[in-house]
């Protein structure tokens, strides 16, 4: 009986804690048509390439080129980390204008040029 109370209490605590996660609002596309060789690379260069995160030769993915970031676009891990979970960049959050540009870029099929 005591074990059942402990198990029930644990489930209640887990349920309460899981409800504490802030719901992130999706930033909609602002109607722009950004491309990698423009605004998108500027955002990536400013927020992803430093501190051994996604720079040249990084084991976490080299985002210095379109070819380097493309696998993360194709498997949706870029979108999940940056736009959905907002766990990237590690050093903070992107402004809404950058999130909107990245959302448009992804919605438009992440064009290179």
């Amino acid at each position: 009986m005591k074990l059942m109370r402990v198990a029930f209490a644990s489930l209640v605590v887990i349920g309460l804690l899981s409800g504490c996660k802030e719901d992130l609002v999706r930033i909609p596309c602002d109607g722009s048509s950004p491309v990698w060789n423009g605004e998108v690379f500027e955002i990536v260069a400013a927020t992803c390439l430093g501190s051994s995160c996604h720079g040249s030769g990084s084991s976490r993915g080299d985002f210095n080129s379109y070819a380097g970031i493309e696998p993360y676009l194709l498997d949706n891990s870029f979108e999940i980390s940056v736009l959905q979970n907002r766990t990237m960049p590690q050093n903070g959050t992107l402004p809404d204008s950058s999130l909107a540009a990245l959302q448009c870029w992804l919605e438009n099929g992440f064009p290179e040029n």
Side-chain angles (χ1 to χ4, degrees):
M1 185 60 112
K2 186 175 181 178
L3 182 59
M4 289 181 73
R5 278 192 224 151
V6 170
F8 178 74
S10 297
L11 288 173
V12 169
V13 169
I14 290 170
L16 290 173
L17 291 176
S18 67
C20 292
K21 183 179 178 189
E22 180 183 329
D23 290 328
L24 297 173
V25 176
R26 180 181 170 272
I27 303 295
C29 172
D30 62 9
S32 63
S33 299
V35 296
W36 172 257
N37 290 322
E39 183 179 3
V40 175
F41 183 73
E42 290 174 12
I43 294 168
V44 169
T47 59
C48 306
L49 299 182
S51 304
S52 71
C53 290
H54 295 286
S56 290
S58 173
S59 62
R60 299 177 184 173
D62 182 345
F63 291 2
N64 275 301
S65 69
Y66 187 84
I69 198 172
E70 188 175 31
Y72 302 91
L73 300 170
L74 294 172
D75 73 3
N76 292 324
S77 60
F78 180 86
E79 180 177 5
I80 291 167
S81 296
V82 176
L83 296 173
Q84 292 178 14
N85 297 339
R86 299 211 194 137
T87 54
M88 293 291 154
Q90 289 183 342
N91 298 332
T93 59
L94 292 171
D96 287 353
S97 59
S98 294
L99 291 170
L102 292 173
Q103 182 67 46
C104 290
W105 182 56
L106 293 172
E107 286 180 11
N108 292 329
F110 41 89
E112 186 172 5
N113 296 310

